[in-house]
């Protein structure tokens, strides 16, 4: 029946079904990201899709604020228990780390690294010793990423894949995908794309945009575990570069897309990119 609601195993939360239009109040009552993701996939009305995206952004914001409050409460408890020593010690350690990162030796060394790993002849993605079949597959794809350029058809596929990434990550805060290089530099775009299909893998609202290593590791590990996507990108290599090589990011996203198709999470009438 139109307007009928199906009660979910999530307390008092309900997911609207049927042909009746979804209201902002109904969307605001949903606390499960996976439900909103499913609704967004099925929605065809433009205004309804906008409402669902807005509800997802608000949900992520609420979760982030809740996490910040809980963290502040824990810090306050620690401060009271230790008479302020713990917090002061942490602040001192943070300042020392910041000073270390801004030291002349660190800054003088970092540009050299960036130049080395940004070079077209860089060995950043040269495959390591290959043993298992899985490693052989990873090595082949890593070599391909150095020559992932082609004719007009390749450019069309690349743009289609970029548009797909942009559409899937649109509701996520801190993610603006314009290309396959700088848009992925902090790791949030990888996390948002993986979280879009596997929200049970981790809490997106807990991510720190300044902790690039943790973001890369979380995205690649979750994709490997839940999507069977091989970790074709090396985190250490990515950390040495200001912006990742677009050909390597493009190759990884192609592989992730293929894994989603194989699992039936993405339906396509054409060949995968």
């Amino acid at each position: 029946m139109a307007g009928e609601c199906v009660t979910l195993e999530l307390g008092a939360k309900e997911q609207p079904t049927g042909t009746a239009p979804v209201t902002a109040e109904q969307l605001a009552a949903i606390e499960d990201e996976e439900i909103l993701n499913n609704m967004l996939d099925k929605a065809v009305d433009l205004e309804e899709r906008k409402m669902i995206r807005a509800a997802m952004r608000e949900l992520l914001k609420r979760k982030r604020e809740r996490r910040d409050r809980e963290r502040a409460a824990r810090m306050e408890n620690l401060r009271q228990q230790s008479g302020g020593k713990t917090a002061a010690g942490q602040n001192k350690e943070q300042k020392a780390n910041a000073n270390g990162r801004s030291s002349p030796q660190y800054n003088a060394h970092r540009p050299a690294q960036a130049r080395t790993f940004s070079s077209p002849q860089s060995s950043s993605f040269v495959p390591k010793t290959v043993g298992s079949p899985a490693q052989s597959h990873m090595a082949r794809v890593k070599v391909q990423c150095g020559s992932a350029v082609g004719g007009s058809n390749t450019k069309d596929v690349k743009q289609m894949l970029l548009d797909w990434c942009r559409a899937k990550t649109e509701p996520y805060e801190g993610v603006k995908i314009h290309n396959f290089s700088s848009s992925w530099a902090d790791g949030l775009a990888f996390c948002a794309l993986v979280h879009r299909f596997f929200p049970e893998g981790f809490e997106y609202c807990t991510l720190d945009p300044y902790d690039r290593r943790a973001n890369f590791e979380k995205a690649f590990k979750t994709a490997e575990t839940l999507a069977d996507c091989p970790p074709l990108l090396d985190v250490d290599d990515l950390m040495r570069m200001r912006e990742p090589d677009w050909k390597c990011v493009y190759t990884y996203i192609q592989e992730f897309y293929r894994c989603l198709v194989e699992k039936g999470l993405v339906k396509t009438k054409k060949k995968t990119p």
Side-chain angles (χ1 to χ4, degrees), residues 149-195:
V149 292
S152 59
N153 185 54
T154 301
K155 294 180 180 178
D156 292 341
V157 174
K158 177 187 173 186
Q159 186 60 47
M160 289 173 60
L161 191 61
L162 186 67
D163 293 340
W164 175 78
C165 292
R166 185 183 297 117
K168 293 302 180 183
T169 59
E170 183 180 357
Y172 289 85
E173 183 177 358
V175 177
K176 297 292 182 183
I177 294 181
H178 304 292
N179 53 50
F180 281 113
S181 182
S182 60
S183 298
W184 307 78
D186 61 5
L188 286 184
F190 288 109
C191 288
L193 188 60
V194 173
H195 187 269

Side-chain angles (χ1 to χ4, degrees), residues 37-237:
N37 280 332
N38 292 334
M39 293 176 65
L40 185 60
D41 286 337
K42 297 176 182 178
V44 294
D45 181 73
L46 179 60
E47 292 301 320
E48 183 177 357
R49 290 178 66 85
K50 288 181 179 179
M51 291 174 58
I52 295 174
R53 290 192 182 101
M56 187 177 295
R57 285 193 293 268
E58 287 299 317
L59 175 58
L60 293 173
K61 181 180 178 181
R62 289 198 303 271
K63 287 190 174 183
R64 186 178 66 256
E65 291 174 346
R66 187 183 309 132
R67 176 207 63 189
D68 291 341
R69 288 194 299 269
E70 292 174 352
R71 182 169 58 185
R74 290 195 299 268
M75 292 297 296
E76 179 64 19
N77 289 336
L78 288 173
R79 188 188 67 80
Q80 293 178 355
Q81 293 174 5
S82 60
K85 292 182 180 180
T86 301
Q90 291 179 345
N91 290 336
K92 184 176 180 180
E93 182 178 354
Q94 290 173 355
K95 290 181 180 179
N97 292 336
N99 291 334
R101 287 193 297 269
S102 61
S103 64
Q105 293 85 348
Y106 178 86
N107 290 332
H109 183 57
R110 185 168 184 173
Q113 287 182 321
R115 287 193 297 271
T116 300
F117 286 86
S118 298
S119 170
Q121 299 179 352
S122 167
S123 60
S124 298
F125 291 92
V126 172
K128 300 177 182 179
T129 303
V130 177
S132 66
Q135 289 176 320
S136 300
H137 173 70
M138 290 173 60
R140 287 196 300 272
V141 178
K142 286 185 178 182
V143 172
Q144 290 170 4
C145 81
S147 57
V149 292
S152 59
N153 185 54
T154 301
K155 294 180 180 178
D156 292 341
V157 174
K158 177 187 173 186
Q159 186 60 47
M160 289 173 60
L161 191 61
L162 186 67
D163 293 340
W164 175 78
C165 292
R166 185 183 297 117
K168 293 302 180 183
T169 59
E170 183 180 357
Y172 289 85
E173 183 177 358
V175 177
K176 297 292 182 183
I177 294 181
H178 304 292
N179 53 50
F180 281 113
S181 182
S182 60
S183 298
W184 307 78
D186 61 5
L188 286 184
F190 288 109
C191 288
L193 188 60
V194 173
H195 187 269
R196 180 70 172 79
F197 293 94
F198 304 102
E200 73 278 13
F202 55 89
E203 288 283 346
Y204 181 84
C205 62
T206 63
L207 301 178
D208 182 356
Y210 297 102
D211 194 348
R212 299 173 62 216
R213 177 178 293 276
N215 296 338
F216 290 136
E217 291 176 346
K218 189 176 293 293
F220 300 153
K221 183 63 177 178
T222 304
E224 182 181 14
T225 302
L226 301 181
D228 297 326
C229 181
L232 306 180
L233 299 179
D234 185 83
V235 174
D236 289 333
D237 292 339

